[in-house]
């Protein structure tokens, strides 16, 4: 957005559009409100954080999550449905030797069901253009420095699979409960631009 | 040539603004655009690939100067015009 | 219909420049990579974006490319999700 004036203008134009679609019987403003509220309640980063905390604590769950993401998240009552298409979930885990980072260079594909709508930087040309070419440089812009020996894989979400990163569990979290671990995980960690 | 959305590997964009307030939307109209698009796809007015195609076909100058949900707004309008759901005069009204 | 490629297969992306919507990014056209896994079968977006009836349904593959191949430098790799008709056997 660029300033109050253009914001007022686009706001007016969107209202005009919604009114036109209501007149044609394609949209019901109240139904849309309710659907949005319900969706945003369901699709939040809390889901992704919970999955990671569970994977850190439960080796069996971690194995199932990496083998078949859709089946494993159903164990915790989550699904990749609810959006416009049912999507395949592929979970990728960081370890001492590998670091994973997610992008969609063509548009903005993102695991919304598990992380909510994506942050602005994820949708920016700056991120989308550079992370496939120079992931270490991009991570450095986020203040994330990787050991030179770590191999980086960038997952460019160009089809119907959505990716989620399981960060490495920090050694300082030994003995933490699942609730405490949930608070350690960040959204950027689930995308791969942060270590945790 | 590739379309304006196809930026993987391109050089010259600004440093990444890594700031993030965690908010899903930054204005009511953004949420409305998100919701309108979902509704139109669910109603079968157009499909998700047609929607992506419409964003990609925005004039490059418009694409680059528009915010993320402004692009969505322009793409929705382009599809509704093409499908004959609305007329240009109505959208400008 | 049998999947054309198995995990581990070396494939080359087509060096195409379509006038329509496609999900094969410019930076990965005409490039060699290795199939990581199969992702199931999905309608071809190139056809769906053109509102064509009966879009072909194809297997989608995760394919790993090295940064050295894509950019001539770097030691990372990039994995893309690609529809079968974007790929051919690498010789």
């Amino acid at each position: 957005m660029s300033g109050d004036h253009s914001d007022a203008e686009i706001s007016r134009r969107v209202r005009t559009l919604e009114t036109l679609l209501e007149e044609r019987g394609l949209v019901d403003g109240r139904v849309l409100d309710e659907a949005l509220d319900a969706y945003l309640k369901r699709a939040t980063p809390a889901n992704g954080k919970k999955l990671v905390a569970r994977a850190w604590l439960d080796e069996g769950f971690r194995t199932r999550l990496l083998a078949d993401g859709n089946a494993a998240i159903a164990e915790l009552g989550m699904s990749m449905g609810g959006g416009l298409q049912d999507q395949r979930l592929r979970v990728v885990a960081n370890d001492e030797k590998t670091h994973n980072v997610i992008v969609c260079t063509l548009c903005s594909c993102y695991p919304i069901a598990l992380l909510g709508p994506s942050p602005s930087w994820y949708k920016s040309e700056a991120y989308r253009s550079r992370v496939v070419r120079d992931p270490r440089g991009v991570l450095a812009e986020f203040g994330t420095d990787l050991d030179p020996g770590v191999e980086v894989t960038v997952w460019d979400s160009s089809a119907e699979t959505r990716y989620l990163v399981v960060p490495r569990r920090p050694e300082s979290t030994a003995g933490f409960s699942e609730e405490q671990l949930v608070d350690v995980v960040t959204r950027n960690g689930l995308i791969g631009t942060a270590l945790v | 040539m590739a379309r304006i959305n196809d930026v993987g590997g391109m050089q010259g964009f600004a440093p990444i603004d890594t700031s993030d307030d965690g908010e899903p939307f930054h204005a009511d109209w953004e949420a409305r655009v998100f919701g309108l698009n979902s509704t139109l796809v669910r109603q079968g007015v157009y499909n998700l690939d047609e929607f992506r195609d419409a964003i990609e076909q925005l004039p490059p100058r418009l694409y680059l100067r528009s915010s993320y949900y402004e692009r969505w707004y322009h793409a929705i309008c382009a599809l509704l015009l093409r499908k004959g759901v609305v007329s240009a005069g109505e959208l400008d009204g | 219909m049998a999947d054309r490629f198995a995990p581990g297969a070396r494939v080359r992306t087509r060096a195409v420049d379509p006038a329509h919507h496609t999900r094969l990014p410019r930076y990965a056209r005409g490039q060699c990579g290795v199939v990581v896994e199969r992702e199931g079968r999905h309608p071809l977006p190139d056809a769906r974006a053109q509102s064509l009836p009966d879009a072909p349904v194809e297997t989608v593959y995760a394919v790993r490319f090295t940064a050295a191949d894509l950019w001539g430098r770097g030691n990372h790799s990039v994995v893309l999700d690609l529809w079968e008709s974007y790929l051919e056997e690498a010789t």
Side-chain angles (χ1 to χ4, degrees):
Chain A
M1 275 173 287
S2 46
D4 291 342
H5 175 73
S6 64
D7 205 50
E9 173 64 16
I10 183 75
S11 185
R12 184 186 66 74
R13 294 177 72 164
V14 172
R15 268 200 310 277
T16 301
L17 173 62
E18 184 168 344
T19 305
L20 283 171
L21 294 172
E22 283 193 318
E23 286 168 9
R24 294 194 177 30
L26 289 166
V27 167
D28 178 327
R30 272 226 344 260
V31 173
L32 196 153
D33 280 337
E34 288 166 11
L36 265 175
D37 283 350
Y39 188 54
L40 291 176
K41 261 195 201 108
R42 199 169 59 237
T44 87
N47 295 330
K49 294 178 183 185
K50 187 171 177 189
L51 290 170
V52 167
R54 180 65 59 89
W56 281 348
L57 285 173
D58 180 342
E59 192 58 38
F61 179 72
R62 177 191 163 94
T63 303
R64 295 193 295 280
L65 186 64
L66 297 182
D68 182 346
N70 298 76
I73 67 174
E75 294 177 30
L76 301 192
M78 299 179 204
S79 87
M80 295 298 286
L84 294 177
Q85 291 176 348
D86 280 2
Q87 292 154 339
R88 172 175 178 263
L89 173 65
R90 173 72 150 92
V91 180
V92 291
N94 297 340
D95 58 30
E96 311 84 61
K97 293 199 189 103
T98 54
H99 183 89
N100 298 283
V101 58
I102 297 163
V103 66
C104 171
T105 62
L106 290 174
C107 48
S108 57
C109 299
Y110 185 79
I112 295 183
L114 303 180
L115 295 184
S118 59
S120 297
W121 61 257
Y122 184 86
K123 300 175 280 207
S124 69
E125 281 73 50
Y127 178 75
R128 288 160 45 212
S129 62
R130 284 224 301 288
V131 74
V132 284
R133 185 186 188 106
D134 178 21
R136 285 170 189 278
V138 165
L139 289 177
E141 288 185 47
F142 283 85
T144 300
D145 289 310
L146 293 176
D147 187 279
V150 171
E151 285 183 23
V152 179
T153 297
V154 183
W155 302 82
D156 188 350
S157 324
S158 46
E160 313 299 348
T161 295
R162 298 294 172 266
Y163 293 90
L164 183 80
V165 176
V166 176
R168 293 177 67 191
R169 179 174 173 178
E171 287 172 13
S172 59
T173 62
F176 276 28
S177 69
E178 185 166 319
E179 290 70 32
Q180 288 172 307
L181 289 174
V182 162
D183 290 336
V184 170
V185 184
T186 69
R187 181 164 66 169
N188 285 9
L190 299 166
I191 306 169
T193 54
L195 291 181
V196 185
Chain B
M1 285 305 292
R3 293 172 168 186
I4 187 65
N5 65 297
D6 187 358
V7 297
M10 274 179 73
Q11 302 183 71
F13 288 108
I16 300 162
D17 178 356
T18 60
S19 62
D20 173 22
D21 58 12
E23 290 296 322
F25 301 107
H26 295 93
D28 280 347
W29 69 264
E30 293 188 349
R32 303 313 285 175
V33 167
F34 179 89
L36 288 174
N37 184 55
S38 301
T39 305
L40 291 167
V41 171
R42 282 181 208 284
Q43 300 251 9
V45 176
Y46 51 81
N47 67 47
L48 208 47
D49 295 305
E50 291 177 292
F51 176 63
R52 292 196 181 108
D53 178 63
I55 291 178
E56 296 170 7
Q57 291 198 64
L58 295 178
R61 282 170 56 152
L62 177 63
Y63 179 96
L64 288 173
R65 73 160 183 260
S66 299
S67 72
Y68 183 71
Y69 287 109
E70 282 172 350
R71 290 173 192 167
W72 282 38
Y73 167 80
H74 290 301
I76 293 168
C77 291
L79 282 165
L80 294 173
L81 285 171
R82 194 192 308 161
K83 305 267 181 186
V85 177
V86 299
S87 68
E90 290 177 310
L91 289 169
D92 293 338
Chain C
M1 202 188 314
D3 296 324
R4 186 169 166 199
F5 305 108
R10 268 191 75 72
V11 292
R12 182 191 300 278
T13 57
R14 294 185 187 277
V16 289
D17 186 19
H20 53 72
H21 172 79
T22 189
R23 300 294 289 177
L24 174 58
R26 159 170 52 181
Y27 76 85
R29 294 177 187 170
Q31 296 281 354
C32 287
V34 175
V35 172
V36 176
E37 63 195 17
R38 292 179 278 234
E39 303 183 18
R41 296 171 58 76
H42 299 280
L44 186 67
D46 304 51
R48 276 177 37 108
Q50 298 175 73
S51 324
L52 299 176
D54 305 322
V57 176
E58 299 180 2
T59 301
V60 176
Y61 302 86
V63 181
R64 184 182 295 270
F65 302 87
T66 68
D69 282 347
L70 295 176
W71 316 112
R73 55 179 298 181
N75 56 9
H76 63 281
S77 58
V78 179
V79 178
L80 280 144
D81 308 319
L82 301 171
W83 270 263
E84 191 165 277
S85 59
Y86 299 169
L87 303 170
E88 55 196 8
E89 274 108 19
T91 48

